[in-house]
Amino acid sequence: MSRLEIDADVLVLGGGPAGTWAALAAAREGARVVLADKGYCGTSGPTASGGNNLWNVPPGPARERSVQARFEDGGRLSEPAWMYRVLEETHQRVDELAGAGYRFPSGDDGREVRTSLQGPEYMRRMRRRVHRAGGTILDHSPALELLTTGDAIVSGAAGLQRQNGYAPWSVRAGAVVVATGGCAFLSGSFGTNVDTGDGLLMAAEVGASFSGMEFSTAYALAPAWSGHTKGLMMQFATYYDADGRTLGDGGFSARGAAMAHLAAGRPVFARLDRARPDIRAAMRTSQPNYFLPLDKAGIDPFTQKYPVRAVLEGTVRGTGGIRVAGTDCASDVPGLFVAGDAATRELVTGGRSGGGSHNGAWAISSGTWA
Ligand SMILES: Cc1cc2nc3c(=O)[nH]c(=O)nc-3n(C[C@H](O)[C@H](O)[C@H](O)COP(=O)(O)OP(=O)(O)OC[C@H]3O[C@@H](n4cnc5c(N)ncnc54)[C@H](O)[C@@H]3O)c2cc1C
């Protein structure tokens, strides 16, 4: 057991997409960077665990339409200037990933489709890129508290080394980026076992303000015995009550009726019967782990009904988080910067969940800026 003490320019807490993009950007600027992750950077968190749709729209009319549509969907609470910034940064960083060898699938016209990332491959590469840029990664090293100077400027963090007898670590740094993800506190939602809100608590302890927290209790639907809440799959679902009656209008908006039914303590069943036969194989290829628990139970979700449950995703696919006080993703506490789900996504998503593509884009862009 040995105590670890390091001096750095930038300390990044969390090694999901937001943290790795932050570490990479800082290391490229010549900063001495340390990234501490509670789990193993590259496999930890929901992005590393599955397929990720990405809000990546090229410049032009399609981008204009996308911003406008989202502005309306989010109750006009987002800020278009930030939405354009996020889209542009994400577009450039995704091009960079492709240039660095990430293989995107090709569409029917033979052109690459760069609107989703396979988490395991994406995050494996991000870990390697941080290493190659000269960053130091501390795995299995949860941060427990932020350190401050006498005049309340954040100047590092301290935690424990889980694979070294829980010996303490501390990093003194000129700036700290909190990228510890959102909070789905141990709800069992896929990949969120590490997302227990530690960074939110640490930021609150040093006096940071929060924003958009009223949009945080996001629940999603998963097979009753699984934690995989893939919204992409559920857009093809029809929901039924215990007597086999269709809930709601049977379309996408029926999700609300299904949620209301569950909230009243009544069982709800789903069947992915609105997925056309010709796309079913592609659905399996893009999200294989959604189908695993159904296959194990011997259920064909396209033809058979299966029970679903509501799973808390809190601020992971919710919206609220630490308030962003500047275009560089500074918080309102000096020395403390925020990125990804630990930060509010209100600027980009408005009063609506950022899951399903906006969060992934925000993680890339806010990480890079922070
Ligand atoms: C089932 C599911 C499907 C999703 N699908 C999509 C999608 O298709 N498109 C999309 O845009 N978004 C999607 N999301 C949301 C997306 O996964 C998140 O927005 C994204 O992972 C946020 O990245 P992040 O780096 O901020 O946080 P995370 O990916 O949650 O990473 C946080 C990291 O911080 C580490 N950490 C936590 N606490 C500490 C601590 N105390 N000290 C050190 N390290 C710590 C964790 O180990 C983890 O590595 C989905 C979410 C879920 C749950």
Side-chain angles (χ1 to χ4, degrees):
M1 175 170 159
S2 59
R3 188 183 185 90
L4 182 67
E5 288 176 1
I6 307 179
D7 279 330
D9 297 316
V10 175
L11 169 63
V12 179
L13 303 179
T20 48
W21 280 103
L24 185 63
R28 281 177 170 170
E29 293 290 324
R32 293 168 304 153
V33 177
V34 175
L35 182 157
D37 197 290
K38 171 171 163 172
Y40 182 84
C41 167
T43 65
S44 197
T47 290
S49 309
N52 298 268
N53 298 319
L54 205 57
W55 196 39
N56 179 20
V57 188
R63 186 179 284 186
E64 305 284 327
R65 283 195 300 274
S66 182
V67 167
Q68 197 50 40
R70 184 61 189 208
F71 183 63
E72 296 297 333
D73 280 357
R76 301 185 174 192
L77 292 171
S78 55
E79 295 193 14
W82 274 87
M83 299 165 91
Y84 283 114
R85 280 188 85 202
V86 166
L87 277 168
E88 184 52 30
E89 188 71 47
T90 301
H91 195 60
Q92 288 181 21
R93 299 287 73 80
V94 169
D95 280 358
E96 179 191 309
L97 267 180
Y102 181 94
R103 303 273 288 272
F104 288 91
S106 296
D108 292 340
D109 58 1
R111 291 168 66 176
E112 280 188 357
V113 183
R114 296 184 179 175
T115 50
S116 88
L117 289 161
Q118 285 301 334
E121 175 60 11
Y122 170 35
M123 291 311 302
R124 187 175 70 85
R125 281 174 178 274
M126 287 306 294
R127 179 187 176 89
R128 199 168 62 199
R129 299 176 83 206
V130 172
H131 258 309
R132 288 189 177 163
T136 300
I137 297 177
L138 308 178
D139 292 308
H140 305 291
S141 299
L144 299 183
E145 62 176 331
L146 293 170
L147 305 175
T148 50
T149 59
D151 46 2
I153 295 174
V154 171
S155 60
L160 296 173
Q161 305 168 68
R162 295 180 60 230
Q163 293 195 332
N164 185 19
Y166 289 89
W169 63 260
S170 66
V171 177
R172 289 278 171 193
V176 177
V177 180
V178 169
T180 47
C183 183
F185 201 83
L186 301 181
S187 68
S189 172
F190 198 67
T192 65
N193 57 327
V194 287
D195 289 336
T196 44
D198 315 6
L200 304 179
L201 177 59
M202 289 186 275
E205 285 170 346
V206 297
S209 350
F210 286 68
S211 179
M213 294 301 280
E214 64 273 37
F215 306 118
S216 294
T217 42
Y219 284 80
L221 294 167
W225 60 98
S226 138
H228 204 316
T229 50
K230 202 67 215 180
L232 188 71
M233 297 296 132
M234 302 321 283
Q235 68 179 296
F236 300 110
T238 307
Y239 299 103
Y240 302 91
D241 68 10
D243 298 323
R245 280 189 297 258
T246 305
L247 292 174
D249 63 1
F252 187 60
S253 60
R255 182 181 170 282
M259 283 290 187
H261 219 67
L262 283 171
R266 301 194 204 110
V268 172
F269 299 81
R271 187 167 61 193
L272 307 182
D273 43 23
R274 295 191 304 116
R276 291 192 327 257
D278 59 312
I279 63 164
R280 293 179 182 179
M283 287 167 69
R284 279 186 170 277
T285 315
S286 69
Q287 304 285 344
N289 45 19
Y290 184 81
F291 293 92
L292 213 55
L294 293 158
D295 290 344
K296 280 184 182 165
I299 291 172
D300 173 4
F302 297 113
T303 58
Q304 291 172 277
K305 295 173 194 152
Y306 56 94
V308 291
R309 67 182 179 119
V311 184
L312 175 74
E313 295 189 325
T315 51
V316 174
R317 272 204 283 199
T319 296
I322 302 162
R323 192 169 89 81
V324 175
T327 50
D328 55 358
C329 290
S331 73
D332 49 16
V333 176
L336 184 65
F337 295 76
V338 291
D341 285 1
T344 183
R345 278 131 291 151
E346 218 179 356
L347 297 161
V348 195
T349 67
R352 216 191 118 176
S353 161
S357 69
H358 291 61
N359 275 2
W362 172 251
I364 293 175
S365 50
S366 62
T368 304
W369 298 325

